[in-house]
Amino acid sequence: MSQFLLRNDHSPELEPFVHILEFAQKKNNSINLNSFTDACSSYLRIYYILEGKFDWVINNKSYTLYPNDLGVILPGQHLCAEKGYLDIGSLYWLHLQLPLPEKTNKQSPDGWSQISSQELVSVKKILFLDSTPVLTRIPDAGSIFSSLRNELFNQEIGYVTRVNQLLDELLILLTRKFSQQQNLQRDFPQTFLKLEETLRKDLSHHWTVEEMAALVGLGTTAFSDKVKKFTGFSPMNYLINIRISEAIRLLKKPSVQVTDIALDTGFYSSQHFATTFKKLTGLTPSQFRKNNI
């Protein structure tokens, strides 16, 4: 089978998979002008190059993709061919409904994924970090796309479970490669700054060491060692210090309620916040506010 196009709205192969909006393999043998123009979608788009060289513009930046490269286009991002048409070559693509990560929703999008709810939060956070959208030399992804094709067309017993497993494998592969890519692109101090920036953007999330380690592409042991060496704190104490520093900033704003500050900075309750705050500063949040406004 040299090429195919499955779409959720008219392909019976995708009936059990409402989350797969489109899955295709295309072998492009000729140039058709205006065949790959600027497009934006509300879903996750993953492209895998089999043959050829593709010059694309992703979110206003130019990239060249070669065989075994992956392009990952996030919801809301634009994708078009630099020349205005799809280059000659062949590729797979998969359009997947994967909602953006939400602070309070730790559940699987619609129950199809077997990734644990906690790990799925990590996967989505890393996947949607808006990092470089191209991963190079990922042949394992080609094997996953090929297996997806075989399962969908052969439909042997257990194929629904197997297809969902392959989607999980693909998401985990992407997450790990993005983490490694981010780590390779920066030395650790720079990585550390980026990590802190990411944590501060979502302090209400109850970050785990595993999640923080994944954000910088390290195992938990290596990550803990680096954080300890870099800051003198364990990862969780490092995170608590960030929470407290943000709480101090917010306490200086009289219009913000202490309870809201506690929850927004990731503490489980006002009491938890007050106890931790006094332990680190010697003052209760109310005393601190009274002394600093």
Side-chain angles (χ1 to χ4, degrees), residues 199-217:
L199 297 177
R200 284 186 182 278
K201 287 179 180 177
D202 194 6
L203 277 180
S204 63
H205 176 64
H206 296 154
W207 293 96
T208 65
V209 176
E210 290 79 8
E211 288 176 324
M212 289 189 285
L215 284 173
V216 298

Side-chain angles (χ1 to χ4, degrees), residues 60-125:
N60 299 319
K61 292 184 180 179
S62 298
Y63 300 90
T64 299
L65 290 85
Y66 297 95
N68 295 327
D69 287 354
L70 272 169
V72 180
I73 319 302
L74 302 180
Q77 290 189 337
H78 292 264
L79 167 67
C80 64
E82 192 167 83
K83 306 179 189 75
Y85 56 81
L86 187 64
D87 296 280
I88 291 174
S90 62
L91 71 163
Y92 280 115
W93 69 80
L94 172 68
H95 295 173
L96 189 63
Q97 190 71 52
L98 190 67
L100 289 165
E102 298 177 8
K103 293 181 179 180
T104 56
N105 179 16
K106 295 186 177 183
Q107 302 303 312
S108 173
D110 56 12
W112 60 265
S113 175
Q114 293 304 303
I115 300 175
S116 72
S117 57
Q118 186 69 38
E119 287 183 325
L120 187 62
V121 172
S122 302
V123 166
K124 290 167 70 175
K125 283 185 180 297

Side-chain angles (χ1 to χ4, degrees), residues 26-41:
K26 181 177 180 60
K27 187 174 181 63
N28 196 39
N29 295 314
S30 61
I31 292 175
N32 297 306
L33 296 178
N34 300 318
S35 60
F36 204 72
T37 55
D38 195 11
C40 181
S41 76

